[in-house]
Amino acid sequence: MFHRRFPGGGNFLGEHVAVSMDRLRQTVGLMAKHLDVQVAQMVTPEFSNGLPGCLVGNRARQVNIGVKALQLTGNSIMPYLLFLGAPIADKFATHAEQYNQNINSMGHVAACLARKSISVLSQHISICFLVCVQALDLRANLIQENGGYDARLLLSDKTRPVYEAIRSTINIPITEDRPYIWDDGEHPLDEHIASVTSALTIDENGCLFKSLKPTIDWLRSKRYSYHVSSRSPEDCS
């Protein structure tokens, strides 16, 4: 489905659709694994350049797990996306319809799996956004002279609107006094994941989607910026 429209493949076999969707799901799985590694480095003091383990906000509390629940959720999603990345184009039946259709297209199944894969990836990205917000708050507290948790002054002009949009989406104001997560159980993290996911995939007029649009447009311009030189038939001889 492209912009809520269903284009047709135009022929019976349609194996090109299945192969393309297989490749898309494999790429989604690789992206999820890369994000999973980045989160692991942020929550591990040996790699995070001074951030507390699990990005715990209130370290005076005896038991506090910080973003561990978010990380473990992402850890569970990532293998699922890798599983969905397994190819299905080669799983076609060879004896369908009394051997009339010796090769059946798996394009429809591959596309349905790709749609599922992208939907799950959006949840994984949402989790990563929330973890990054907590990491930014704690980084601000470490390096700013006033010890506040507002990270906006540390961010680039393109990153700052994303940071602000995520906090607006989950309805947790940015303050100098506290990071996003201070103590366990103070926020409904499942609702926050759902809110950010919805803002990423449904609400194209929302603040989060708009904050990401410059980056999306830039990536699209790089993707389609190739130049095909016009050559005469003689040049090809």
Side-chain angles (χ1 to χ4, degrees):
M1 189 169 72
F2 183 72
H3 290 305
R4 297 181 175 84
R5 298 171 62 187
F6 290 89
N11 64 46
F12 173 75
L13 176 58
E15 190 171 355
H16 59 291
V17 176
V19 172
S20 299
M21 294 298 99
D22 283 354
R23 180 61 176 170
L24 174 60
R25 297 196 317 279
Q26 182 188 43
T27 302
V28 166
L30 292 174
M31 290 173 59
K33 193 158 191 174
H34 176 72
L35 291 171
D36 201 61
V37 171
Q38 300 302 308
V39 169
Q41 291 180 331
M42 279 191 287
V43 303
T44 306
E46 290 81 1
F47 299 104
S48 64
N49 192 25
L51 294 178
C54 292
L55 303 181
V56 171
N58 182 10
R59 280 166 281 176
R61 188 179 180 182
Q62 188 173 6
V63 178
N64 228 352
I65 63 173
V67 299
K68 187 178 288 292
L70 289 171
Q71 185 193 12
L72 290 175
T73 304
N75 293 153
S76 300
I77 291 175
M78 184 271 294
Y80 179 44
L81 288 171
L82 291 175
F83 173 77
L84 288 175
I88 199 168
D90 60 336
K91 307 300 189 297
F92 55 83
T94 56
H95 46 73
E97 197 188 340
Q98 294 177 292
Y99 290 92
N100 182 44
Q101 301 179 37
N102 288 334
I103 298 180
N104 290 68
S105 168
M106 300 303 294
H108 175 70
V109 177
C112 288
L113 289 173
R115 186 177 185 180
K116 177 65 174 178
S117 182
I118 292 172
S119 175
V120 175
L121 176 66
S122 65
Q123 297 177 51
H124 190 52
I125 292 174
S126 300
I127 291 169
C128 295
F129 270 138
L130 295 174
V131 173
C132 286
V133 165
Q134 177 74 357
L136 286 169
D137 290 350
L138 296 178
R139 178 66 68 199
N141 178 254
L142 284 176
I143 66 177
Q144 292 187 138
E145 291 184 0
N146 63 354
Y149 292 96
D150 185 346
R152 283 176 286 192
L153 293 177
L154 309 179
L155 303 176
S156 69
D157 292 338
K158 289 186 177 181
T159 307
R160 190 180 307 111
V162 180
Y163 172 76
E164 294 172 336
I166 293 170
R167 295 296 287 263
S168 175
T169 299
I170 60 178
N171 199 27
I172 304 294
I174 301 170
T175 68
E176 294 284 359
D177 303 328
R178 294 164 74 96
Y180 162 44
I181 298 175
W182 182 248
D183 284 325
D184 297 344
E186 64 181 354
H187 299 311
L189 298 179
D190 57 334
E191 294 180 12
H192 288 182
I193 295 171
S195 296
V196 176
T197 301
S198 177
L200 282 174
T201 58
I202 299 175
D203 188 7
E204 296 186 6
N205 295 316
C207 58
L208 181 55
F209 196 92
K210 288 181 178 179
S211 71
L212 293 168
K213 193 173 186 305
T215 301
I216 295 171
D217 291 343
W218 181 83
L219 290 172
R220 284 176 174 169
S221 70
K222 294 299 180 182
R223 171 64 179 83
Y224 298 108
S225 63
Y226 58 84
H227 175 70
V228 180
S229 60
S230 58
R231 295 184 296 176
S232 64
E234 290 78 10
D235 295 332
C236 299
S237 58

